[in-house]
Amino acid sequence: MLLIDTFVLALKNIWSNKMRTILTMLGIIIGVTAVIVIVGLGNGMTQQVRESFSSMGIDSMTVSIWGRGSSRAATVDYMYKVVADNPQYLSDISPYVQISSQTVKEGRDTYRYTGVYGVNEDYISIANYTIAEGRGLQYMDMKENKYVCVIGDYLAREAYNGNAVGETIKVGTYQFRIVGVLSPKTTDPDLQEGGEDDRIYVPYTVALRINQSTTVDTYTVIMADENYANQAKSTIEKALYAIYQDEDSYYVYSMSELLEQMNQTISMVVLVLTLIAGISLLVGGIGIMNIMLVSVSERTREIGIRKAMGARETTILFQFVVEAGTTSALGGFIGIVLGYALSAAATAVVPLVAPGQSVSISPGTTAVLVSFGISVGIGVVFGFLPARRAARLNPIEALRYE
Amino acid sequence: MSALIEFDEVCKYYYMGDTVVKALDHVSMRIDKGEFVAIVGQSGSGKSTCMNIIGCLDVPTAGTYKLNGRDVGRMRRGELADIRNEMLGFVFQQYNLLPKLNLMGNVEVPMIYARVPRAQRHARAKAVLEQVGLGDKLKSKPNQLSGGQQQRVSIARALVRNPPLILADEPTGALDSHTGREVLGMLQDLNREGHTVILITHDNSIAMQAPRIIRLEDGRIVYDGDAHSPEAFVSPVLEAAFEDFQRKEREEEAEKAAGAAKAQEARKAEKAPAQEGGDAACS
């Protein structure tokens, strides 16, 4: 009852001093707008980084093994077993053997940038490829050391005009039969040559032979759940330590780790910017306190009258705190609306001004709720001192005040 | 009749540096329910302090003040606020209406602090404003009204919680004599309806409207009784001053008389030789 009446009274007082209220709120409005836009920008950047990472597979890890001077070595079967034994953290694994010393040739044309990798039958799906034509690699291809391969979209178009399946391609002196073509991963022409669509995938057993090697030194491992990236990483590290007894013999590198680092950097930048914007909120709070002090002395007589009518000190205190809180909450609300409008405008305008660039500024509910809460809090905190002064006025002196 | 207000040796001292101002100095009095009392005094007599204490805006330095049997001097500020809300209706010289609120809003203020529900509040405020003859101006702002009307709003506000005690501080001070009489008539009506009315004034002609007069001078009660007794408006201080003045005057007259006699004698003494000389010249 009293709460509603106090609130209505506060709104009336704010309304009857529109100009003053708007000026008072300005600090809060600017602060909240800035916070909303900055947080939105941070969210947008995080989102973008996340998107570009997830196309690379943020759930993937790269395991590099040097295993220098060890009598034992981690075999492919051992690595498969590690993955199979830890289904809660790890889901898939593939060897990843680069063949770098050989040149790719089709007829007389050479493809210098084309990457050739030895992988297993699971790799196509691990790397988020899909088969556009023909078939993928199969277990029997590994087991029987078949010279077959699957090639990327770019290579298929450039070298075979799209009719690659059944043709042969030469890697150094070795001839491979093309059994499948992969769907494109990117449509950006700049990223095609030498990129993920300019690849040849062969059975890893064949790759090892070409490299004249017996052990696989690189694996791609997929986590079961990217939220348990650290556990997934340490599972593999433990398994490798059991073999090599030396932490320098291997390295497990996860995409999500990098993503986390980048996110941390972004969060840090956003935090610093938000703190700077927060200064405006502080200044706004001081402005509110200042105006409330003026308001209290202007309304001394009113306070005296109200006290004579039976208003308790707590009631007067409450009235002024609510008034300050309402003022800053209103400022916060306007700031949120303005912040959203600015974010939307920036999202819409940036691609027009700078083609090829895109920003998505999405502040999110948390930012809105937090900044609204903070602005109400600022009003209450900075309104408290003037309100207490009002509450403690001597009614006799207040009634006599001109 | 049971006592509504009991002052027992009430003192209120103000300390200004080394000097003590005794605004009320051992004041004892009793006002019963249903009375109409005027507290009269010149400025500085302590009547405002007396009103502040009766109105629970202030507490005595010493002595006890009981309102309706409850010792006000021992109450916390919050309790005093509640007492003001329940027991007291204030009517001020300057009306003290809230300029931003309309008449309804002004009259509702005491009920808001009593947490009366909104619908009930509206009905009661309307009824009271109608009672003081302002039923057609419910939505007006105080500054759209004449002084007399504003004072009626203030009476309506004082009445709205139906308090046993109405405290009117110079209610006619800012009004012309005609509207002043009207307002006074309203207070008398309220008294007839059963409210205890205390009127604080410096104006003897206003005070005479009350059946009982309490006269304060220098923080002490110098008269308490029938308004129509010849002593009601006799001020010991003034009397003393008057006597002093008269005595001085008598002394001065006596001095003058003595001086005059001397002068006459001197003139006589002067005249005699002159006459002689004159005579001589003439002769």
Side-chain angles (χ1 to χ4, degrees), chain A residues 301 307 309 312-313, chain B residues 77 82 84-85 96 121:
Chain A
R301 202 183 175 88
K307 285 196 155 190
M309 301 295 117
R312 280 168 163 253
E313 285 188 11
Chain B
R77 291 196 293 265
D82 292 347
R84 290 197 290 270
N85 187 264
N96 277 344
R121 238 161 50 199

Side-chain angles (χ1 to χ4, degrees), chain A residues 1-2 4-5 8-9 12-13 16-17 299 301-313 315-316 319 392 394-396 399-400 402, chain B residues 14 52 57-58 77-82 84-85 88 90 92 94 96-101 106 109-110 112-113 115-118 121 157-158:
Chain A
M1 195 66 231
L2 198 58
I4 299 168
D5 288 314
V8 169
L9 187 69
K12 272 184 187 164
N13 271 317
S16 63
N17 280 315
R299 284 154 66 187
R301 202 183 175 88
E302 176 193 328
I303 294 160
I305 295 168
R306 289 184 180 278
K307 285 196 155 190
M309 301 295 117
R312 280 168 163 253
E313 285 188 11
T315 317
I316 300 282
Q319 181 190 334
R392 288 190 176 171
N394 179 339
I396 299 163
L399 276 170
R400 226 183 277 144
E402 289 303 324
Chain B
Y14 294 105
N52 289 338
L57 292 165
D58 207 348
R77 291 196 293 265
E79 287 174 286
L80 288 177
D82 292 347
R84 290 197 290 270
N85 187 264
L88 289 152
F90 286 92
F92 299 99
Q94 294 300 332
N96 277 344
L97 299 173
L98 298 175
K100 283 179 190 166
L101 301 181
N106 265 288
V109 169
I112 289 175
Y113 296 130
R115 295 166 193 253
V116 177
R118 183 176 294 262
R121 238 161 50 199
R157 184 179 61 183

Side-chain angles (χ1 to χ4, degrees), chain A residues 140-339:
Chain A
M140 290 310 285
D141 299 333
M142 315 289 145
K143 204 180 172 196
E144 294 173 3
N145 298 318
K146 283 188 180 165
Y147 282 72
V148 294
C149 69
V150 173
I151 64 169
D153 175 71
Y154 173 78
L155 192 59
R157 278 188 291 110
E158 287 293 308
Y160 302 98
N161 290 320
N163 299 314
V165 176
E167 300 291 327
T168 55
I169 193 160
K170 277 175 102 177
V171 176
T173 53
Y174 306 94
Q175 195 159 324
F176 286 86
R177 189 163 55 86
I178 299 168
V179 294
V181 175
L182 302 169
S183 299
K185 271 201 169 182
T186 175
T187 50
D188 187 344
D190 292 342
L191 292 177
Q192 286 177 336
E193 187 171 9
E196 285 186 289
D197 291 332
D198 191 7
R199 294 275 165 87
I200 299 173
Y201 292 111
V202 304
Y204 74 92
T205 46
V206 175
L208 286 177
R209 274 195 185 178
I210 294 173
N211 282 355
Q212 297 176 337
S213 164
T214 52
T215 54
V216 175
D217 58 4
T218 308
Y219 291 89
T220 295
V221 181
I222 301 298
M223 309 168 188
D225 184 346
E226 62 185 76
N227 294 319
Y228 293 102
N230 290 336
Q231 288 90 331
K233 193 180 170 201
S234 66
T235 303
I236 294 177
E237 282 172 340
K238 263 184 229 155
L240 289 171
Y241 189 80
I243 302 257
Y244 296 102
Q245 303 290 321
D246 176 11
E247 282 170 10
D248 294 332
S249 298
Y250 51 86
Y251 185 73
V252 181
Y253 177 85
S254 75
M255 276 295 200
S256 66
E257 223 175 346
L258 186 66
L259 178 68
E260 207 164 285
Q261 277 171 12
M262 290 197 67
N263 281 346
Q264 268 176 6
T265 312
I266 293 171
S267 306
M268 202 64 206
V269 171
V270 166
L271 187 69
V272 169
L273 288 175
T274 306
L275 283 179
I276 293 169
I279 292 172
S280 170
L281 286 178
L282 189 74
V283 173
I286 294 167
I288 285 178
M289 179 150 75
N290 192 13
I291 285 299
M292 289 309 291
L293 282 171
V294 171
S295 175
V296 168
S297 58
E298 272 181 2
R299 284 154 66 187
T300 300
R301 202 183 175 88
E302 176 193 328
I303 294 160
I305 295 168
R306 289 184 180 278
K307 285 196 155 190
M309 301 295 117
R312 280 168 163 253
E313 285 188 11
T314 45
T315 317
I316 300 282
L317 182 90
F318 189 62
Q319 181 190 334
F320 280 88
V321 166
V322 165
E323 204 171 308
T326 309
T327 305
S328 63
L330 213 59
F333 179 74
I334 294 172
I336 287 166
V337 171
L338 224 62

